[in-house]
Amino acid sequence: MPSIIERARGLFIPTQVREAKRLVSDLLEIMDSRPTPMSPEGFISKLKEMDPMLLDFMMRQFREGGYAEPNESMRLQSVQESRNLFLWDVVSAAGIGLWTDYGLGLHLNIVPRHPDADKIWTAFWTADNNQAILNDRDLHSLSDTLLVDGEFYFTFFISRLDGACTIRTVTTDQIKEIVTDPEDASVPLFYRREYAGLDATLTNAYYPDWRATDVELAKAKLPTDAVRADRQSSDLNTGTDVMMMQVAHRKRNGRGWPLMTAGAAWSRAYKNFLQDRAAVSKAVAAYVDKIIAKTGSRGINDLKLKLQSSLNLSSTGIETNPASTAGSTWLENEAATRERMPLSTGAGDAEKDGAPLLAQAGLAGRIYPHYLGRGDAMRLATATAMEGPTLRAFNRYQLFWSSVWADCVRLVLKAAEEYGQKKFHDYTADINTDSILQMDFNTIAPTTKQLIDLQAIG
């Protein structure tokens, strides 16, 4: 039952807003009950009888999560929208590409610090059965998937004979539930994966988190018929340990959200704006000249035929009414007048109108317009000042991936210890990637020389 304060607050809320809240709540309830999420546009046909302003208000609230706490249905809808934008929207694709190029880097070098660990790690990184994930051509796709979907899951299959690890990935939409410690919801224990098995039947399996101990896993409240991936008796898992690692970006309630979620609506608006501008420009350019003839409909039709192209393919194949060459002279009598059509499209105003849309879309990824092809609208000083927040975000993303690879090194070395009779006292590694800022040695050299000269004088 609502409190007295909540009921009092409701008295001062306009009737339309209260009605919109009720409709949003009903809509979210419908979405939650569906087996797969539906886009907001899919409900428009069912809501045509609504007031247009109320419908627009409700749709905006729906896209922004409504009044309810974001739930799994909203997240999956955001993931699907992000996937579509990554393929078909230039701003989203450019933003994801920038984060991958700067954050993941073009060159990756991982060196365990323990002298005996490098051989184990190199064998894992270069193993043929791991090249589907770790090859140089496709390594960047891990970052693209993370930024587009918000998360993915590394799955490790560990041989109990020698500790050799095979790595695979699982997409976010296959993980239906994260089972956490009953005493600490921030500690994941199992990931419930739902997927089509070898015989195309729907299969559910629980994958233990790579950090969870046997004591912690025993706390998990799994269904009595739960199938644990690390205890399956199939040939694939005979003599194999299985564990999973979540790689999540922009986590909320334990799950990752796509990078460009907040800017999705602005990306669509900017794309639609440019398409509308292209249509206007095409319409204006369709007719350059206007001819006014003092004649009837038959005379107009005859004039149209004379102006149209008449390529005769049945005889000579020669154009009988070619377009005039550049610099030609137009001749007319008093019966016809030629006027130049206005070719202005309002491009100046349109440029100002489109700039805020692009800026809002890019801000979702901390990317400013001069990174998205609008360098002409930015002054050098402004662009330089804006680079600070963007580069800081890229640096933090680099640290994020460094922590992911450090966890992978730790897992691989611990597996070698448990099953391969190895012993390491240090599981850390040095992760090196491209520097975000490239040094200009032509600028640094004179400064260095001056410092050396000053030191010599002193």
Side-chain angles (χ1 to χ4, degrees):
M1 176 179 294
S3 65
I4 296 176
I5 295 177
E6 290 174 340
R7 283 183 287 175
R9 187 186 297 118
L11 295 176
F12 297 95
I13 298 177
T15 303
Q16 285 189 339
V17 175
R18 288 202 302 270
E19 179 65 13
K21 289 182 65 175
R22 183 187 66 78
L23 290 171
V24 169
S25 178
D26 293 343
L27 189 58
L28 293 175
E29 184 177 353
I30 294 172
M31 290 289 292
D32 287 341
S33 64
R34 292 183 57 82
T36 57
M38 178 183 292
S39 65
E41 289 76 12
F43 288 91
I44 290 180
S45 61
K46 300 180 182 179
L47 303 173
K48 287 183 178 179
E49 68 276 7
M50 291 178 53
D51 178 78
M53 294 182 63
L54 185 59
L55 175 61
D56 179 70
F57 177 80
M58 187 204 70
M59 296 303 289
R60 291 188 185 190
Q61 293 299 322
F62 180 85
R63 290 192 178 100
E64 297 170 4
Y67 297 94
E69 180 72 13
N71 54 35
E72 185 63 8
S73 294
M74 297 179 190
R75 192 186 71 86
L76 289 175
Q77 180 189 350
S78 180
V79 169
Q80 187 58 54
E81 182 177 42
S82 178
R83 291 174 177 177
N84 291 335
L85 289 175
F86 179 62
L87 289 177
W88 306 111
D89 177 60
V90 176
V91 174
S92 298
I96 298 298
L98 283 171
W99 276 71
T100 292
D101 291 342
Y102 278 94
L104 189 64
L106 303 179
H107 305 92
L108 181 63
N109 187 29
I110 303 173
V111 182
R113 292 180 179 175
H114 194 283
D116 298 330
D118 186 63
K119 182 178 180 181
I120 300 296
W121 176 254
T122 301
F124 163 78
W125 191 265
T126 60
D128 290 341
N129 56 351
N130 290 333
Q131 292 311 293
I133 307 298
L134 303 178
N135 74 84
D136 292 337
R137 295 189 303 275
D138 298 323
L139 196 60
H140 71 278
S141 65
L142 295 176
S143 175
D144 290 345
T145 300
L146 175 67
L147 297 171
V148 172
D149 290 359
E151 66 177 22
F152 68 88
Y153 295 79
F154 278 137
T155 306
F156 293 87
F157 300 90
I158 305 170
S159 171
R160 292 192 175 100
L161 298 177
D162 57 4
C165 296
T166 299
I167 187 173
R168 291 293 182 267
T169 59
V170 173
T171 58
T172 180
D173 40 10
Q174 288 190 7
I175 303 300
K176 303 302 181 181
E177 178 188 6
I178 299 179
V179 181
T180 60
D181 189 323
E183 301 174 353
D184 189 350
S186 65
V187 178
L189 299 179
F190 287 96
Y191 304 95
R192 181 170 68 86
R193 180 191 178 198
E194 186 178 280
Y195 62 101
L198 296 177
D199 55 354
T201 58
L202 201 61
T203 301
N204 275 276
Y206 288 82
Y207 290 71
D209 183 83
W210 72 282
R211 293 166 296 186
T213 64
D214 291 337
V215 174
E216 291 174 327
L217 293 177
K219 298 180 183 179
K221 297 179 180 179
L222 301 182
T224 55
D225 59 345
V227 176
R228 286 183 51 168
D230 57 332
R231 295 181 179 176
Q232 287 180 311
S233 59
S234 64
D235 294 337
L236 178 63
N237 288 283
T238 300
T240 303
D241 197 4
V242 182
M243 56 186 63
M244 185 170 278
M245 177 189 295
Q246 182 191 34
V247 182
H249 191 247
R250 299 186 72 224
K251 287 181 68 172
R252 183 164 185 176
N253 296 332
R255 304 299 294 265
W257 285 69
L259 172 68
M260 304 296 285
T261 297
W266 295 104
S267 292
R268 290 194 305 269
Y270 185 65
K271 179 180 179 181
N272 293 336
F273 173 81
L274 291 183
Q275 288 176 333
D276 291 342
R277 292 302 309 169
V280 170
S281 298
K282 182 178 180 180
V284 170
Y287 296 98
V288 178
D289 294 321
K290 177 173 65 175
I291 295 179
I292 301 175
K294 297 179 180 180
T295 182
S297 58
R298 292 184 179 179
I300 293 295
N301 290 334
D302 182 62
L303 188 59
K304 287 170 59 179
L305 291 174
K306 291 179 179 178
L307 293 176
Q308 289 176 352
S309 174
S310 56
L311 180 63
N312 189 344
L313 297 178
S314 60
S315 56
T316 62
I318 299 175
E319 174 67 81
T320 59
N321 187 24
S324 300
T325 60
S328 299
T329 301
W330 172 263
L331 300 176
E332 65 181 35
N333 58 22
E334 294 182 355
T337 302
R338 182 192 186 196
E339 295 182 8
R340 175 58 55 91
M341 295 283 286
L343 299 179
S344 174
T345 63
D349 292 336
E351 182 178 5
K352 295 180 180 179
D353 293 339
L357 300 179
L358 178 62
Q360 287 294 100
L363 280 177
R366 300 279 293 276
I367 301 170
Y368 295 97
H370 61 291
Y371 278 97
L372 297 171
R374 287 298 302 270
D376 57 314
M378 307 298 295
R379 294 182 178 179
L380 178 59
T382 305
T384 303
M386 286 180 172
E387 284 182 350
T390 300
L391 298 181
R392 182 63 62 91
F394 291 160
N395 270 315
R396 187 169 63 176
Y397 189 57
Q398 275 194 346
L399 293 176
F400 171 88
W401 270 107
S402 294
S403 69
V404 171
W405 297 125
D407 286 346
C408 290
V409 171
R410 186 178 185 87
L411 186 151
V412 170
L413 297 184
K414 280 187 169 293
E417 277 189 337
E418 184 172 358
Y419 299 113
Q421 291 77 47
K422 304 293 183 181
K423 190 62 179 177
F424 308 104
H425 301 289
D426 188 357
Y427 306 104
T428 59
D430 294 317
I431 293 95
N432 302 307
T433 184
D434 300 328
S435 174
I436 291 180
L437 292 177
Q438 302 296 325
M439 296 294 182
D440 186 354
F441 292 100
N442 293 327
T443 303
I444 296 175
T447 305
T448 305
K449 185 178 184 302
Q450 291 178 3
L451 291 175
I452 295 174
D453 293 342
L454 289 174
Q455 186 178 10
I457 295 174

